[in-house]
Amino acid sequence: MLQKTHSFAGLLAAEGAVLYMQNSPFSWESAAALLIGCLAGPLADIDKQGSTMAKIFFPLSALLRLIKVRHRTMTHSILFIAALGMLFSSLPPLLYWSFLLAYASHPLIDLFNEQGVELCWPVKIKFRLLPKFAAIDTGSVSETLFRYILALFTLLLPAHYVWNHLIHAV
Ligand SMILES: [Zn+2]
């Protein structure tokens, strides 16, 4: 999937964390959590040469290349997510869960892709959720449609909250 699709998925995951964990979601901490979500969503593609994340985190992506980490393997695995979970456990809870859920949204939606994901890396089994004919190819029309659906949900989720807690309560 493209970086912008992953950013929408990461944003949606962070919105979920904010609305679930914060009594009042209109705070600087919530804004930081949403920003973290947008950035953590595409982060796993640091393993893909030429991707924006690989460029931003150049020394790290070069290291991954050096130790021959292939695309959609280590950085897209459950083991790696668990390791990140331990590494960042000292973050404030909202930022922590926004980061972790947004990061995890990446391999989750990559499962819709035709190539599949090595979720259980280092075990070399590729998982994918859709049969080949229905899979969402990177940059395809179906990905654009999928991104619009994600974008719609990133609007609906806060709108639903505002409706329930602010307008409805009056
Ligand atoms: Zn990916």
Side-chain angles (χ1 to χ4, degrees):
M1 302 259 180
L2 298 173
Q3 157 156 359
K4 46 191 173 183
T5 307
H6 283 299
S7 280
F8 275 115
L11 176 63
L12 189 61
E15 278 183 359
V18 166
L19 295 181
Y20 186 76
M21 297 178 73
Q22 291 288 85
N23 287 327
S24 126
F26 303 102
S27 66
W28 284 111
E29 198 190 13
S30 299
L34 298 182
L35 185 66
I36 285 174
C38 285
L39 297 173
L43 191 55
D45 278 347
I46 191 174
D47 65 356
K48 188 178 168 191
Q49 213 187 324
S51 74
T52 310
M53 285 298 149
K55 284 178 192 154
I56 293 174
F57 297 99
F58 174 69
L60 262 179
S61 58
L63 179 72
L64 289 177
R65 234 173 86 198
L66 203 68
I67 57 173
K68 294 194 164 53
V69 170
R70 287 167 302 112
H71 183 38
R72 296 205 180 100
T73 58
M74 185 181 86
T75 62
H76 290 57
S77 69
I78 294 167
L79 193 67
F80 194 76
I81 294 169
L84 286 177
M86 283 190 269
L87 190 68
F88 291 104
S89 58
S90 54
L91 278 177
L94 178 65
L95 302 186
Y96 176 77
W97 284 110
S98 300
F99 171 75
L100 211 59
L101 291 174
Y103 190 95
S105 76
H106 185 118
L108 185 74
I109 67 167
D110 267 355
L111 287 173
F112 296 127
N113 203 286
E114 192 190 323
Q115 285 102 329
V117 180
E118 284 187 20
L119 269 187
C120 296
W121 179 92
V123 180
K124 287 184 177 172
I125 303 171
K126 287 195 169 178
F127 292 87
R128 68 162 201 259
L129 283 176
L130 298 172
K132 266 202 164 95
F133 70 91
I136 301 174
D137 274 342
T138 304
S140 63
V141 177
S142 48
E143 179 174 349
T144 307
L145 193 68
F146 181 65
R147 187 168 57 250
Y148 282 144
I149 294 170
L150 282 175
L152 185 69
F153 275 99
T154 61
L155 295 175
L156 284 178
L157 205 61
H160 177 76
Y161 176 88
V162 168
W163 174 256
N164 269 349
H165 289 81
L166 302 177
I167 297 173
H168 215 57
V170 176

